[in-house]
Amino acid sequence: MTPQQYEECLKACMECLEACNNCFDACLKEADVKMMAECIRLDRECADICAYAVQAMTRNSPFAKEICQLCAYICDHCAEECGKHDHDHCQRCAEACKKCADACRKMLA
Amino acid sequence: MTPQQYEECLKACMECLEACNNCFDACLKEADVKMMAECIRLDRECADICAYAVQAMTRNSPFAKEICQLCAYICDHCAEECGKHDHDHCQRCAEACKKCADACRKMLA
Amino acid sequence: MTPQQYEECLKACMECLEACNNCFDACLKEADVKMMAECIRLDRECADICAYAVQAMTRNSPFAKEICQLCAYICDHCAEECGKHDHDHCQRCAEACKKCADACRKMLA
Amino acid sequence: MTPQQYEECLKACMECLEACNNCFDACLKEADVKMMAECIRLDRECADICAYAVQAMTRNSPFAKEICQLCAYICDHCAEECGKHDHDHCQRCAEACKKCADACRKMLA
């Protein structure tokens, strides 16, 4: 089993990964892609660290805490960028990033 | 949103990723690690293709079907190897791999 | 050691990963990002399968051939898209994708 | 192009990824796998952070430095564990991990 203390964080990382990748796909289809360039970049960054954190926690990595600390940091940046845009996919992504950063920090505490 | 037709497959891939990584960790702690060597190897293979499939489906990859086809194939092999061992973590992993292979194939159909 | 028969393919995958990610970064900085949307999407797809193939070959994965077959297929698509654009980073990427697809297929033969 | 300041670090990460995965494969084939359990675990950890660092540097990630800092830390632990074992693949891996940790820290400075 995945260690108990990771449970909430794991769920938040999976949801954040999904929201970031959904946003990445939707941004690339927007009329004004240029405005979304930083969002596209950060969505990929954030999806990738979340995927890495999911792998780390489920395999009981000795570095799970350090990885989740980095995940919280990257989530903060993605939440900030996505939060600037009114698109539903951006707002949902910003929300998921904030929840994920919180869950990572709660787990670390 | 992740495309509707991926929903069940996405859930199965996430659960399979978790079961494979749980099994990887548990196998490395077994008294007889040598007996588990192929299981350890395939757990990593299967967790990695599941993580890749999760990323592909959530970003609406143009290659999601090809990736999930490969995922089903690797899941079959991991299910077969894990199914040989009586450990709970192996049995749970074999079960998750079978469900994931089924979900991938159902999505492809 | 990484199995001898993978040597050329491994090098081509590493170079393709680099060219795709370079192109991803450069496309996001272009004046006309909208025109590059499919290129950005495929650069990520192609970098990710190359990274996965590199991991598979170096760990002597039992699925290295199937993974490199998929890699060749995704490289073909990325080469086609990047080949449509005159930017240096796109042309370099198209070239690297073609070489990688060839190296994968040569290894499989 | 990948930013100039990453060049040496990128090369070291690619070589470390390869050495770690080679060691992972070889450890699973050893007569005494139990003795290699921690090495197997850390080889996977280290290969994965190196692959992640390679992706980050080549796509000019805004988080490349933070990721390479974590990479140096994980390399240190893998070098220490592999250094305990006399197998050629372990010694080569320990060497590659040390070089990678050094290259990451030199790039960060």
Side-chain angles (χ1 to χ4, degrees):
Chain A
M1 309 283 280
T2 302
Q4 182 82 36
Q5 78 266 32
Y6 296 149
E7 203 174 322
E8 191 185 332
C9 185
L10 178 62
K11 191 167 173 290
C13 285
M14 284 177 169
E15 287 172 2
C16 188
L17 181 169
E18 184 170 7
C20 288
N21 275 333
N22 289 177
C23 189
F24 177 88
D25 172 46
C27 283
L28 286 173
K29 294 171 179 162
E30 286 292 340
D32 188 350
V33 187
K34 185 151 191 64
M35 197 176 68
M36 310 315 296
E38 269 314 282
C39 200
I40 292 166
R41 185 186 292 276
L42 288 166
D43 284 339
R44 184 183 178 190
E45 295 292 332
C46 198
D48 281 8
I49 185 70
C50 285
Y52 182 38
V54 164
Q55 288 255 35
M57 286 184 278
T58 54
R59 74 184 176 221
N60 198 17
S61 163
F63 311 109
K65 297 216 163 176
E66 288 82 1
I67 293 165
C68 287
Q69 195 166 18
L70 181 56
C71 187
Y73 178 77
I74 295 177
C75 282
D76 285 344
H77 284 79
C78 191
E80 196 190 336
E81 176 60 33
C82 281
K84 293 177 192 167
H85 305 283
D86 286 337
H87 304 303
D88 270 7
H89 54 84
C90 290
Q91 290 296 316
R92 272 197 302 269
C93 186
E95 188 69 22
C97 290
K98 278 179 212 159
K99 277 178 75 170
C100 188
D102 286 349
C104 286
R105 292 197 174 100
K106 195 174 152 193
M107 185 272 281
L108 292 168
Chain B
M1 310 281 282
T2 303
Q4 183 81 36
Q5 78 266 30
Y6 296 150
E7 204 176 320
E8 192 186 331
C9 185
L10 178 61
K11 192 167 173 291
C13 285
M14 284 177 169
E15 288 173 2
C16 188
L17 182 168
E18 185 171 8
C20 288
N21 274 333
N22 289 178
C23 189
F24 177 88
D25 172 46
C27 282
L28 286 172
K29 293 170 179 161
E30 286 292 341
D32 188 350
V33 187
K34 184 149 190 67
M35 197 175 67
M36 310 315 296
E38 269 314 284
C39 200
I40 293 166
R41 184 187 292 275
L42 289 166
D43 284 339
R44 184 182 178 191
E45 295 292 334
C46 198
D48 281 7
I49 185 70
C50 286
Y52 182 38
V54 164
Q55 288 255 36
M57 285 184 280
T58 53
R59 75 186 175 219
N60 198 17
S61 163
F63 311 108
K65 297 216 164 178
E66 289 81 2
I67 293 166
C68 287
Q69 195 166 19
L70 181 56
C71 188
Y73 177 77
I74 294 177
C75 282
D76 285 345
H77 284 79
C78 192
E80 195 190 336
E81 177 59 33
C82 282
K84 293 177 190 166
H85 304 283
D86 286 337
H87 304 303
D88 271 7
H89 54 84
C90 291
Q91 290 295 318
R92 272 197 302 269
C93 185
E95 188 70 20
C97 290
K98 277 178 212 159
K99 277 177 76 170
C100 187
D102 285 349
C104 287
R105 293 199 173 99
K106 194 173 153 193
M107 185 272 281
L108 293 167
Chain C
M1 309 283 281
T2 302
Q4 182 82 36
Q5 77 266 31
Y6 295 150
E7 204 175 321
E8 191 186 331
C9 185
L10 178 61
K11 192 167 173 290
C13 285
M14 283 175 169
E15 287 172 3
C16 188
L17 181 169
E18 185 170 7
C20 288
N21 275 333
N22 288 179
C23 189
F24 177 88
D25 173 45
C27 282
L28 286 172
K29 293 169 179 163
E30 286 293 341
D32 188 350
V33 187
K34 183 148 192 69
M35 197 177 67
M36 310 315 295
E38 268 315 283
C39 201
I40 293 166
R41 185 187 293 276
L42 288 166
D43 284 339
R44 183 182 179 192
E45 295 292 333
C46 198
D48 282 7
I49 185 71
C50 285
Y52 182 38
V54 164
Q55 288 255 34
M57 284 184 279
T58 54
R59 75 185 175 221
N60 199 15
S61 163
F63 311 109
K65 297 216 164 179
E66 288 82 1
I67 292 165
C68 286
Q69 195 167 19
L70 181 57
C71 188
Y73 177 77
I74 294 177
C75 282
D76 286 345
H77 284 78
C78 192
E80 196 191 335
E81 177 60 33
C82 281
K84 294 178 191 166
H85 305 282
D86 285 336
H87 304 302
D88 271 6
H89 53 84
C90 290
Q91 290 295 317
R92 272 198 302 269
C93 185
E95 189 69 21
C97 289
K98 276 178 212 160
K99 277 178 75 170
C100 188
D102 285 349
C104 286
R105 291 198 174 100
K106 195 174 152 191
M107 185 273 281
L108 292 168
Chain D
M1 309 284 281
T2 303
Q4 182 82 37
Q5 78 266 32
Y6 296 150
E7 204 175 321
E8 191 186 331
C9 185
L10 178 61
K11 193 168 172 288
C13 285
M14 283 176 170
E15 287 172 2
C16 188
L17 181 168
E18 184 170 8
C20 288
N21 275 334
N22 288 178
C23 190
F24 177 88
D25 173 45
C27 282
L28 286 172
K29 293 171 178 161
E30 286 292 341
D32 188 350
V33 186
K34 183 150 192 68
M35 197 176 66
M36 310 315 296
E38 268 316 282
C39 202
I40 293 165
R41 184 187 293 276
L42 288 166
D43 284 338
R44 183 182 178 190
E45 295 293 332
C46 198
D48 282 7
I49 185 70
C50 286
Y52 182 39
V54 164
Q55 289 254 34
M57 285 184 279
T58 53
R59 76 185 175 219
N60 198 15
S61 164
F63 311 109
K65 297 217 164 178
E66 289 81 0
I67 292 166
C68 287
Q69 194 166 19
L70 181 57
C71 187
Y73 177 77
I74 295 178
C75 282
D76 285 345
H77 285 78
C78 192
E80 196 192 335
E81 177 60 32
C82 281
K84 294 178 192 167
H85 305 282
D86 286 336
H87 305 303
D88 270 7
H89 53 84
C90 290
Q91 290 295 318
R92 273 197 301 269
C93 185
E95 189 69 20
C97 290
K98 277 178 214 160
K99 277 178 75 170
C100 187
D102 285 350
C104 286
R105 291 200 175 98
K106 196 175 153 192
M107 185 273 280
L108 292 168

